[in-house]
Amino acid sequence: MLQPRPTRAPAGRLLRLSLVLNPVAPQPRLAEVARMGDRAGIGALWVTDVHPLDRRPAATDAFHALSVVAPVVRRAQVGLMLTPAPGSADDVARMTGALQQELAGRLEVGLRLGRLGPIALEGYIAALRRQWAASERPAPPVSLQTELGPSLAPAVRAADDAVVVAGTLEGVEVLAQEARAVCAAAGRDPATLGLAVELPISIGRTTAEAWARWESDEALAGLGPPAEVAIFGTLEQGHEQVIRLAHAGVTDLRCVLPEAVDVHDVIAQLTALSIGTVDVLAPGSPRSRAPEPPKGWGGRPRFPTT
């Protein structure tokens, strides 16, 4: 029987923050961004076999890319997102089992439908779990990328997390509600299914800076209005969007970063987006008033009174 291990928000956070590394980037760049994210406190770093935005194949095999990333990651979870081929479950189970041991239990595995239908993919997950159990190694958590409709059912029955696919922030909220309803209908407590979402992100100290980062990346610029399809704008605006996602039930935000020269600055600002908890923060809630300046702040008066 499945003992779910859904992704949970860390203490004091609205949700877990993850990075989806660019699979078409050169290997030194993969390692550099992974190292930055790990040091900044990002919860998980994902290697994928296709670009999450334009579906380009990865520059290197996903397992090889993970072998580049894993040695530089000390604290974060390391995720491997695959499009499984029929008949590959034994090989994938063997390779992921070895990686799980190398990473001291910090590996996570994600699957897309690919050429497998929803029912076949459910069997694929079961085959992975059998192989992991036979090896007596800790089994990695499994997330399943899904959309509305029949493809959602295997995630509800077999996965720890569902990775929802939606073109807009509003669509994410609709799909999250649908996932909870399907869970309840299947007799599974919705709280036992983690909800992850992959979204592009462009945060700046000003909206103009966020726009510059967005438009410098061709894959991002072609997606549509960024305020509708991404976490976008200033830190305060991005925080408000993350609050919305957390209240919709999202537990893991997998961020697709812009290909910006100053990506380290984006990562640094990113870590502040998840601060808070859903029991304290609600969408649209007023911000705390800024504190008064200290007495005497501002230096010598321009026009002395004495």
Side-chain angles (χ1 to χ4, degrees), residues 288-297:
S288 301
R289 188 171 65 89
E292 296 292 335
K295 186 177 181 180
W297 179 83

Side-chain angles (χ1 to χ4, degrees), residues 140-187:
V142 176
S143 58
L144 177 60
Q145 185 168 301
T146 183
E147 299 175 345
L148 281 171
S151 65
L152 184 58
V156 167
R157 291 192 294 260
D160 299 290
D161 289 357
V163 187
V164 298
V165 177
T168 64
L169 294 175
E170 184 177 347
V172 170
E173 294 175 306
V174 172
L175 191 50
Q177 184 176 6
E178 178 74 9
R180 289 195 296 271
V182 172
C183 263

